[in-house]
Amino acid sequence: MSRADYRGVTPTAKARQENLEETLTTIGRAVTIAEVAALAGVSVGTASKALNGRGSLRPETRQRVREAADRLGFVANAAARSLHSGRTYTVGMITTDSIGRFSIPLLIGAEDALGAGQVSVFLCDARDDPIREQYYLRTLLSRNVDGIIVTGRRTQARAPIAAGLHVPVVYAFISSADPQDCSVVPDEADGARRAVRHLLSTGRRRIAHVTGPEHHHSATVRAAATEQTLRDEGLDLAIPVLFGEWSEAWGRQAAGLLLAAGADVDAIFCGSDQIARGVAEALREAGRAIPGDVALVGFDNWDVMVDGCRPALTSIDMDLEGIGRSAAELLLAAINGDPVRGKRTRPCRLVPRASTAR
């Protein structure tokens, strides 16, 4: 298309045509990083750092380089990059959470943090099987991953996945029993305190707590924080903690126990959204209005449960994606020679909905 052919064409259309012609010239051959750098107006070294997530560059510079790379259809040569850096730009994630309830949000958060450096994640489901877990560990190590994230469906500490590994390991959602290992976990006590304080702020004073198994770490932590928060306000639970299962069935049963005992409660804080949904169903069938007669709070902010509950359930969110991002950032730091030791906790947040509306 000659310059004369642009007569009568708007500047926007002209620019699009030029972009198309420039892009078409790259089809059939590999775009070089030098071409990306030239289009972005930076040096080759700066372009390399921007695309690899390295160096101290301004955000606008990184963005400009990435836009240039996208425009030209640049694809990084993984083999060359690995040979140059001694890294494979891959990370393994080993989980025991077979249904993905916790591991999928964690994976999304980790990929958000790793994506800027074009690091890929291999997700391995160990299914609570120690033999399978060690198989996946050996497999990941044989692929020369740069690091490993270990996670699961429980927050309690677990034994280290292995000793003396030559790659860094970060535990996410669960923690390692070795205090020297790096772990990122939700502050479940903080979540329970937020739930109780929210109920108190709505004028509730006769609060019951229905939760999971008494031997379960999360159940005991959340129950202890609930009782302590009430004591700090000069109050006690309206009835001793009801421990049971992490299920809707237990929620319905627990609500039945409260109703049969004639417990004078105006709010119920549940240790999980599944329990809360069961409680809500039983209260509604008994003619109790939520939140008019009884306010209700759950824990986990599981969209399937909170949206399916009637009315919509106020819940505590553990920010699983945030935990995944933090774990990945700490793993990257360790890969780059700056490891962090010990356990780090992240606060929860309250998500208010109709079940506690004033």
Side-chain angles (χ1 to χ4, degrees):
M1 191 174 190
S2 68
R3 193 171 298 277
D5 292 330
Y6 282 117
R7 288 176 297 183
V9 180
T10 65
T12 300
K14 177 180 177 181
R16 288 175 179 168
Q17 180 66 25
E18 290 175 339
N19 289 346
L20 176 60
E21 291 175 357
E22 182 178 4
T23 300
L24 287 174
T25 63
T26 66
I27 295 177
R29 69 176 180 83
V31 177
T32 67
I33 196 167
E35 291 173 298
V36 174
L39 183 59
V42 299
S43 69
V44 172
T46 297
S48 176
K49 290 177 182 178
L51 294 173
N52 293 329
R54 295 183 289 108
S56 300
L57 303 179
R58 292 195 300 271
E60 54 268 28
T61 301
R62 290 188 189 277
Q63 182 64 26
R64 192 165 72 250
V65 172
R66 288 172 189 154
E67 288 175 353
D70 290 341
R71 179 176 166 183
L72 295 176
F74 174 77
V75 178
N77 187 318
R81 186 169 60 144
S82 297
L83 183 63
H84 175 72
S85 65
R87 290 174 51 184
T88 61
Y89 292 90
T90 57
V91 164
M93 177 179 280
I94 299 178
T95 181
T96 58
D97 175 26
S98 299
I99 64 173
R101 165 68 189 92
F102 301 103
S103 59
I104 296 303
L106 288 163
L107 175 63
I108 291 172
E111 287 188 326
D112 284 347
L114 297 170
Q118 299 181 337
V119 177
S120 300
V121 183
F122 296 131
L123 178 62
C124 304
D125 176 18
R127 305 180 194 176
D128 262 343
D129 181 350
I131 296 176
R132 185 183 295 268
E133 180 177 87
Q134 290 302 307
Y135 164 77
Y136 280 130
L137 176 61
R138 291 192 300 271
T139 300
L140 291 171
L141 294 175
S142 72
R143 290 178 177 268
N144 296 318
V145 294
D146 298 324
I148 296 173
I149 296 174
V150 179
T151 186
R153 63 175 182 268
R154 299 183 182 91
T155 57
Q156 65 196 78
R158 54 154 290 166
I161 194 167
L165 294 180
H166 64 276
V167 298
V169 177
V170 174
Y171 297 80
F173 189 64
I174 62 174
S175 61
S176 170
D178 185 345
Q180 291 301 307
D181 287 336
C182 181
S183 306
V184 185
V185 299
D187 189 340
E188 297 178 271
D190 167 73
R193 288 191 292 269
R194 291 174 187 269
V196 173
R197 288 168 183 163
H198 173 66
L199 290 171
L200 294 175
S201 73
T202 64
R204 312 293 171 154
R205 291 294 181 271
R206 302 181 303 280
I207 299 173
H209 184 49
V210 181
T211 192
E214 191 168 6
H215 60 79
H216 199 287
H217 176 262
S218 291
T220 56
V221 167
R222 296 169 192 179
T226 296
E227 292 185 287
Q228 185 59 55
T229 304
L230 286 171
R231 282 196 295 269
D232 291 344
E233 298 294 330
L235 299 170
D236 292 315
L237 281 170
I239 189 172
V241 177
L242 294 177
F243 291 100
E245 299 176 348
W246 301 114
S247 68
E248 290 182 61
W250 164 237
R252 290 190 294 271
Q253 182 183 351
L257 293 173
L258 289 171
L259 292 169
D264 183 20
V265 300
D266 59 12
I268 302 174
F269 168 39
C270 298
S272 78
D273 293 335
Q274 288 176 284
I275 294 173
R277 187 171 173 180
V279 168
E281 182 180 323
L283 290 177
R284 188 172 58 252
E285 290 177 352
R288 301 296 178 90
I290 301 172
D293 297 325
V294 181
L296 189 62
V297 177
F299 204 110
D300 292 334
N301 198 35
W302 189 1
D303 53 359
V304 174
M305 292 294 158
V306 297
D307 295 336
C309 187
R310 291 185 291 165
L313 180 65
T314 293
S315 187
I316 298 297
D317 193 314
M318 291 185 286
D319 189 19
L320 297 176
E321 289 188 23
I323 292 172
R325 281 193 297 274
S326 292
E329 289 166 357
L330 290 166
L331 186 63
L332 283 175
I335 291 170
N336 291 323
D338 187 21
V340 174
R341 306 294 181 188
K343 182 190 297 185
R344 294 192 171 194
T345 59
R346 288 182 57 91
C348 298
R349 65 186 179 95
L350 177 90
V351 183
R353 297 187 179 90
S355 68
T356 57
R358 292 179 184 270

